[in-house]
């Protein structure tokens, strides 16, 4: 169901929004353009107006105006999404949550915090200074907590700390009709009713606008160390990961980089890592001894699987240099080809199929006309490709589309998912039928029930 | 909306079910009576017929017959539920899943397994012998995995391993109209669509019948030890729990028993624990040294908070005796009063409020005309009361109802939930409005969308 949005109804909505929000309802071309895209290759599409609410009540008011004039609504956080989630493909109202950026409450005793949706993860961790606690979920970008919840983000630390699915205790959400609800409680577990929190985590703005989030926090580890190890083969690296998890080593990060990515990292970060499939590890423990035990256990497993030159870094500056190189992977890939743009994609498979999925996918790359780097959260079975494209070349874009599709279908055939952490947006919509089968119709039923006018981020995730 | 069920339509449904299932559609009084209740105080209510399907297809067939004749359906696992979930309060068809009891697949590499819904947790753990893996979620009873998923069960190990929310990767569910869907994939994480798995976990049979469950497994710990410690006060015990979690000690179990429960345990299990607020601990680690470090850290914290006589048990038989005493808590309470019945209830609060909630609740008990024992999963902020009642006394039942209500409202006022792990069933329905506010209407919207005839376990969890 797609109700056509008339130009006049949008204009009337803008008039009312300006009456209500003043300068915080902005329809200047520069602001609209800034909100036309995330960090993806998807075609930009500007909203008609951008609103910057400061309270949940203001978000509710915007939703009521959206209802009255039947105008679409797109939530917007830090604009770091990778699958076109924030592109206003049907115009309408973009709700930018950046002015809802207060850390509302931190409880050291309960290891939880409540933040407004526009708080970023680095801002939250800064606010946690001196509490002994941290919010460790790290998708790379300094995304907003609301955006991370909406896309069910995760990242390098998910192998130990879980994803947003495990770390959101509850939230405030404004529904399509402007009703504000609170999901969950501050109790750490509950058996009292449907799990609306998990329904809204990962709903990508298609069911409501998240305005506040209550999060689990984690104690800062007493001791941290890191290590890097090159392998003879991807298979050896992945087998080391599997053995590490089977042994129950509570490794905090376990990142896989392929030789193309290592080469890019060396060039960009002036490092001298062997150009080979490589694992980067981080260990968190309650004592130096416990961290050392973990590193020794993993070193032995790596040696069993063709790991060479296991380098262990305990000093802060060595660890920082190591992880800086890992974090620069995206920019290192881009720097391989001046003037290029990146198309980033991800899939996630059962870890027993990870090596096979990676190896088969890399075979596809042999004749690609552009550089491709691979980096993955191996402990989760999740990996990313970065296609380094000439933005002016339709042929390269077509080839990237073809390679991406082959990888997604391969992951699905292995019992995996078309996205481990980037989300569906517009980029992965076409694969949901293959992934979910008849369950997709249940998702559509829920979408229709909660957003009968299809005004909430329409055209994303699923068609209704 | 409650469509009246006519006697003739039920009779026709039974005829068709017998044609389809033969002797596995059973309407004898003894079988119906056996399926009229779980382990709770709630009034029994028998279904008109009990079906024992052996496949998802047969469950789908039963649902199609239910649709055609507009007859309610109640899923039934091991019959251990505590809030009347399985009582067939509107008659109809009970689907007993006990014949769907195959462990379909275990993957040691992926640390996951797929089981039919009627597999019990002890059966699963037996099947995992010699794999080095276990399914540690332990609600006490030998419940079925399907039932545990349906009530979002947890138990003593949730503080370390999470609840069914965290440990179900996906499932097969038969919807009201007989459509079978598969939720989730075997990937450990996904950002591809609404989290239907988490929607059905904890839905108590009100949205569909769970027929298969894919679970996370966990490596068996290399080393295990246990400890018990009595405290001067509940506050001291709870403060020890808070400090343990803040320090990041990965304790596997942390159980609180009050002095009434300890007295009952001593009488029943012939133990000689001090009659005082007491914590039972279990430590899992990747080495004896790591387990010893955890126990030493907790011992020091306990000493800071009025803990006396910290007894550490590393030998298997000592650990088993200790945990047997904990597991016998329910029977120990019942044995306080021969001929009595137990009313068991639970709430869960932010852990910072746990001591206050327990202390205030115990003040209410001072003049109760029956014994009351308290046992709790303190690391989660979750505790249970066992009211040991004379089943013939309406006055005692009324008093239990009053005490239960006071405790639930107290927990809600503290930001908690009316049930941490027992579920809503019929027993906690009246509190959902107070707990969820306008979010309850979202639950009703979802229920109406997925079960428009209100045939799926009607009259449980929420009214529509």
């Amino acid at each position: 169901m797609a109700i056509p949005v008339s130009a006049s109804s949008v204009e009337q909505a803008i008039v009312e929004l300006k009456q209500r929000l003043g300068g915080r309802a902005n329809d200047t071309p520069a602001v609209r353009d800034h909100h036309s895209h995330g960090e993806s290759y998807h075609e930009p599409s500007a909203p008609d107006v951008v609103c910057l609410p400061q309270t949940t009540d203001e978000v509710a008011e915007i939703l009521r105006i959206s209802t009255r004039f039947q105008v679409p609504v797109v939530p917007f956080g830090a604009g770091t999404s990778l699958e076109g989630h924030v592109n206003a493909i049907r115009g309408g109202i973009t709700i930018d949550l950046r002015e809802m950026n207060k850390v509302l409450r931190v409880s050291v005793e309960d290891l939880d915090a409540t933040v407004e949706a526009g708080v970023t993860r680095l801002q939250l961790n800064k606010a946690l200074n001196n509490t002994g606690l941290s919010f460790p979920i790290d998708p790379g970008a300094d995304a907003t907590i609301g955006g991370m919840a909406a896309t069910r983000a995760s990242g390098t630390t998910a192998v130990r700390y879980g994803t947003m699915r495990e770390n959101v205790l509850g939230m405030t959400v404004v529904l399509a009709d402007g009703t504000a609800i609170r999901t969950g409680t501050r109790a750490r577990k509950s058996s009292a009713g449907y799990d609306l929190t998990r329904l809204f985590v990962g709903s990508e703005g298609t069911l409501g606008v998240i305005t506040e989030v209550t999060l689990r926090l984690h104690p800062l580890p007493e001791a941290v160390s890191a290590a890097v190890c090159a392998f003879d083969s991807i298979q050896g690296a992945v087998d080391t990961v599997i053995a590490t998890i089977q042994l129950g080593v509570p490794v905090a990060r376990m990142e896989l980089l392929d030789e193309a990515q290592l080469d890019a990292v060396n060039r960009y970060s002036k490092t001298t890592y062997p150009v080979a499939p490589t694992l980067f590890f981080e260990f968190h423990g309650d004592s130096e001894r416990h961290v050392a035990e973990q590193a020794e256990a993993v070193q032995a497993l790596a040696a069993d699987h063709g790991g060479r030159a296991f380098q262990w870094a305990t000093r802060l500056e060595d660890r920082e240099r190591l992880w800086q190189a890992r974090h620069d992977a995206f920019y290192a890939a881009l720097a391989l080809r001046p003037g290029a743009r990146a198309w980033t994609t991800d899939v996630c498979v059962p870890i027993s199929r990870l090596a096979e999925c990676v190896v088969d996918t890399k075979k596809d790359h042999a004749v690609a006309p552009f550089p491709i780097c691979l980096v993955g959260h191996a402990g989760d079975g999740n990996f990313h490709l970065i296609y380094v494209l000439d933005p002016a070349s339709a042929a390269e874009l077509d080839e990237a589309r073809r390679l991406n599709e082959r990888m997604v279908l391969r992951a699905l055939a292995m019992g995996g998912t078309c996205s481990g952490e980037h989300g569906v947006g517009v980029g992965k919509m076409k694969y949901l039928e293959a992934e979910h089968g008849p369950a997709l119709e249940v998702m559509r039923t829920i979408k229709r029930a909660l957003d009968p006018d299809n005004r909430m981020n329409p055209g994303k995730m699923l068609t209704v």
Side-chain angles (χ1 to χ4, degrees), chain A residues 9-172:
Chain A
S9 66
V10 173
E11 280 162 22
Q12 290 171 55
I14 295 174
V15 168
E16 292 221 9
L17 290 164
K18 287 182 172 177
Q19 280 171 358
R20 181 70 183 78
L21 297 170
R24 292 184 289 111
N26 191 322
D27 59 352
T28 60
V31 168
R32 292 172 52 215
D33 180 62
H34 172 71
H35 290 83
S36 66
H37 59 86
E39 289 184 355
S40 66
Y41 63 93
H42 300 283
E43 194 181 352
S45 195
D48 295 295
V49 60
V50 175
C51 294
L52 291 104
Q54 293 172 335
T55 63
T56 295
D57 282 350
E58 285 188 350
V59 174
E61 182 89 7
I62 295 166
L63 266 294
R64 283 191 290 269
I65 291 170
S66 146
T67 306
R68 207 150 70 241
F69 296 103
Q70 290 291 305
V71 176
V73 164
V74 181
F76 192 102
T80 55
S81 84
L82 294 171
E83 291 292 359
H85 303 83
V86 298
N87 302 21
I89 58 176
R90 297 192 191 164
I93 305 163
T94 284
I95 299 182
D96 182 328
L97 291 136
R98 85 174 74 164
E99 296 201 6
M100 292 189 67
N101 61 358
K102 286 189 285 299
V103 175
L104 298 172
R105 183 190 61 77
V106 174
S107 168
V108 174
E109 284 190 310
D110 292 312
L111 286 79
D112 69 3
T114 299
V115 303
E116 289 183 332
V119 167
T120 72
R121 68 179 181 88
L122 293 178
Q123 182 194 344
L124 171 57
N125 276 311
K126 200 167 166 191
L128 295 174
N129 264 348
N130 303 317
T131 63
L133 302 176
S134 81
F135 178 68
I137 314 304
D138 175 6
D142 187 22
T144 62
I145 299 297
M148 288 172 64
T151 51
R152 205 181 292 127
S154 45
T156 53
T157 60
V159 66
R160 174 154 179 157
Y161 299 100
T163 72
M164 291 302 277
R165 180 176 75 192
E166 287 80 24
N167 286 281
V168 175
L169 286 169
M171 40 187 152
T172 303

Side-chain angles (χ1 to χ4, degrees), chain A residues 267-290:
Chain A
R267 289 165 194 261
Y268 184 83
S269 303
K270 316 286 181 232
T271 46
T272 56
Y273 296 116
V275 176
T278 298
L279 290 175
F280 282 45
F281 297 93
E282 189 165 275
F283 307 102
H284 294 179
D286 36 26
S287 67
E288 295 293 345
R289 199 164 67 178
H290 185 225

